[in-house]
Amino acid sequence: MTGLNNKRLLLGISGGIAAYKSAFLARLLVKAGAQVRVVMTQGAQAFVQPLTFQALTGNPVHTGLLDPEAEAGMGHIELARWADLIMIAPTTADLMARLATGQAGDLLTTLCLASKAPVHLAPAMNQAMWQHPATQRNTHLLEELGYTIIPPAEGEQACGDVGAGRLPEPEALFNWVESFFQTNQPKLTKKLGEGLRITITAGPTQEPLDPVRYLSNHSSGKMGYALAAAAAELGTEVQLISGPVNLTVPAGVNCTQVITAEQMLEACEKLRSTTDIFIACAAVADYRAEAVADQKLKKQANQDELVLKLVKNPDILATMAKATDNKQQPRPFCVGFAAETQQVEDYAQNKLINKNLDAIVANDVSDSSIGFGSDQNRVILFTRSGKQINRDPLPLNSKQALGQQLMLKLLAFYKEQQIL
Ligand code: C5P
């Protein structure tokens, strides 16, 4: 039994070279116990034969709106009502435009209008088409209309271009579907976080050098914000301590904005005694300028080098995780993130021990398609129970879905530790 057992998935396929990946996706879904019905546009049939999907899913493939034979079987309205989730992979730029304007000229667009099921779109197209303002506008319009957009992957494309626009691999799409059903079992999950208080740090810190310059890093804050959103959805009370980022605070989350590591530490320490779980997702600057100049540092005509003296910033996570003798106020359950470019697993496990953590999420930031700035990530969760360390890899997925998976796993592990 898996979380997909008997779930009803309507898999839409539109015309793009990536349509072949959907055959692998259909196979994974069927293997996991889902009932899969496939709807193909005319364009999709130019790339893959409907017979392929019929053989993989064991169900006839739906291709036309005005086909009396198909309507006599499972008609389009019945099909629209049948689905628990509609996923369209690949979604072409043309289909996005048609959906964004509410058109219903073929079976797939009609189903999207007629169904009350969530519709998740996996756009796949040439990188220039993806970046085109018209496609970006349609993406926003679709999100406003309630569609979920699965971020396209980056990398080499079939046309030879390199950039964002690839259909994520079938395994990533499968994980997406799985986590959708996992996090959409409200009775089971909503209760999981009730009564718990979570503090999450996110984003970079900025360490000023003078009134106009600072030291910082490439952290976008997306992972921390995704965790905060997931924690709120699971019913926890969330305090987000955020460095400067360009993101909207998720619904139900209290946010304190900070700039420097020292300010972030101060905000976290204030919450220490009322925090059950502390998650340090921020990319805190390791060093700050020893002295911040009052006035803008001026370039000197006779000086080719400038030497800055930096001093170490406090380690917020290690401070929060420090053991305490006070039985009334034990230290929070502490979770770290280890963004590394090499020996990722070793460094992460060392930090887990050295910073006295309960869990750590290891993240390889040498791969530009994941990690900093990207919408996707692939991580390994290490949890510690006494001397035992457990390793749990979470495959490539959107940061949003990973945030949900991680939060479910962390809450479950936290509760297990409370009982032990
Ligand atoms: O030691 P390193 O920076 O690699 O550790 C990463 C973890 O420690 C992350 O969870 C990060 O948020 C946290 N950290 C912190 N304060 C610092 C440095 C890192 O909380 N000054």
Side-chain angles (χ1 to χ4, degrees):
M1 286 273 266
T2 74
L4 292 189
N5 220 35
N6 285 329
K7 292 285 183 269
R8 293 182 297 204
L9 201 104
L10 201 153
L11 178 60
I13 302 168
S14 60
I17 178 65
Y20 76 92
K21 289 189 186 173
S22 299
F24 292 93
L25 172 61
R27 188 162 170 272
L28 291 171
L29 292 166
V30 170
K31 257 178 85 177
Q35 295 180 41
V36 182
R37 292 258 171 187
V38 172
V39 177
M40 297 179 83
T41 63
Q42 235 180 358
Q45 294 168 61
F47 289 93
V48 189
Q49 290 290 321
L51 198 57
T52 306
F53 289 96
Q54 184 173 318
L56 288 169
T57 63
N59 287 317
V61 172
H62 305 262
T63 52
L65 184 57
L66 305 172
D67 176 353
E69 203 181 313
E71 285 295 302
M74 194 187 252
H76 67 275
I77 296 296
E78 207 183 328
L79 196 54
R81 289 191 187 133
W82 170 86
D84 293 323
L85 171 69
I86 299 178
M87 177 183 261
I88 306 182
T91 310
T92 58
D94 174 67
L95 180 57
M96 288 177 75
R98 288 190 290 129
L99 288 172
T101 49
Q103 294 184 42
D106 63 6
L107 179 60
L108 194 49
T109 47
T110 302
L111 287 170
C112 290
L113 282 191
S115 181
K116 288 207 163 62
V119 184
H120 290 209
L121 307 175
M125 63 198 73
N126 164 271
Q127 54 82 27
M129 289 171 75
W130 170 246
Q131 278 166 18
H132 195 284
T135 310
Q136 288 305 307
R137 183 200 57 201
N138 288 335
T139 303
H140 292 129
L141 266 174
L142 286 163
E143 281 175 334
E144 273 174 31
L145 292 172
Y147 290 86
T148 298
I149 307 292
I150 305 173
E154 291 195 25
E156 201 174 321
Q157 304 200 297
C159 54
D161 277 10
V162 177
R166 283 167 55 93
L167 184 69
E169 294 308 311
E171 292 77 12
L173 293 172
F174 174 79
N175 293 333
W176 183 286
V177 175
E178 205 174 38
S179 70
F180 167 79
F181 284 113
Q182 218 173 44
T183 49
N184 276 276
Q185 292 172 359
K187 275 187 214 75
L188 196 136
T189 53
K190 186 83 187 167
K191 279 207 188 112
L192 202 59
E194 264 169 21
L196 289 177
R197 297 158 301 181
I198 299 194
T199 299
I200 300 173
T201 67
T205 63
Q206 286 178 1
E207 310 298 334
L209 300 175
D210 66 18
V212 294
R213 302 185 182 93
Y214 56 81
L215 294 171
S216 192
N217 58 65
H218 291 299
S219 170
S220 65
K222 287 178 187 167
M223 194 68 241
Y225 274 59
L227 282 164
E233 278 164 26
L234 290 168
T236 66
E237 208 180 296
V238 192
Q239 299 286 346
L240 179 65
I241 314 293
S242 175
V245 295
N246 216 348
L247 299 171
T248 310
V249 177
V253 170
N254 302 305
C255 183
T256 306
Q257 313 273 358
V258 297
I259 308 280
T260 66
E262 286 178 305
Q263 289 168 2
M264 190 174 270
L265 174 67
E266 193 188 329
C268 290
E269 281 191 310
K270 268 193 198 150
L271 292 167
R272 190 170 193 251
S273 61
T274 50
T275 295
D276 300 304
I277 301 176
F278 177 68
I279 304 180
C281 197
V284 184
D286 288 327
Y287 292 90
R288 66 178 186 279
E290 183 182 48
V292 181
D294 289 339
Q295 303 299 329
K296 184 180 165 194
L297 294 166
K298 298 302 287 175
K299 187 166 46 184
Q300 303 296 330
N302 58 353
Q303 201 180 336
D304 286 340
E305 288 179 356
L306 174 70
V307 177
L308 287 171
K309 184 157 182 200
L310 303 179
V311 292
K312 213 175 205 162
N313 263 330
D315 192 313
I316 302 166
L317 177 57
T319 310
M320 296 289 279
K322 214 178 266 162
T324 144
D325 291 335
N326 187 346
K327 290 241 162 35
Q328 308 301 322
Q329 231 178 61
R331 74 185 250 295
F333 172 96
C334 285
V335 183
F337 269 72
E340 302 292 348
T341 54
Q342 53 174 342
Q343 292 171 257
V344 182
E345 297 202 25
D346 287 347
Y347 283 138
Q349 287 179 78
N350 287 342
K351 274 177 208 169
L352 179 67
I353 309 286
N354 296 340
K355 296 198 188 199
N356 191 34
L357 310 181
D358 300 279
I360 195 156
V361 181
N363 181 182
D364 183 351
V365 286
S366 67
D367 181 344
S368 65
S369 68
I370 58 173
F372 283 157
S374 163
D375 286 325
Q376 303 184 97
N377 209 348
R378 182 193 313 118
V379 300
I380 303 170
L381 172 66
F382 291 97
T383 49
R384 184 164 73 124
S385 191
K387 284 208 168 106
Q388 196 179 326
I389 294 180
N390 185 44
R391 178 182 182 278
D392 186 1
L394 278 76
L396 185 68
N397 216 326
S398 70
K399 285 186 175 168
Q400 187 195 10
L402 268 183
Q404 293 170 340
Q405 289 173 358
L406 275 172
M407 198 48 80
L408 279 170
K409 283 176 187 285
L410 289 171
L411 287 181
F413 180 61
Y414 168 80
K415 295 203 161 186
E416 202 180 292
Q417 296 301 298
Q418 300 300 300
I419 295 163
L420 286 179

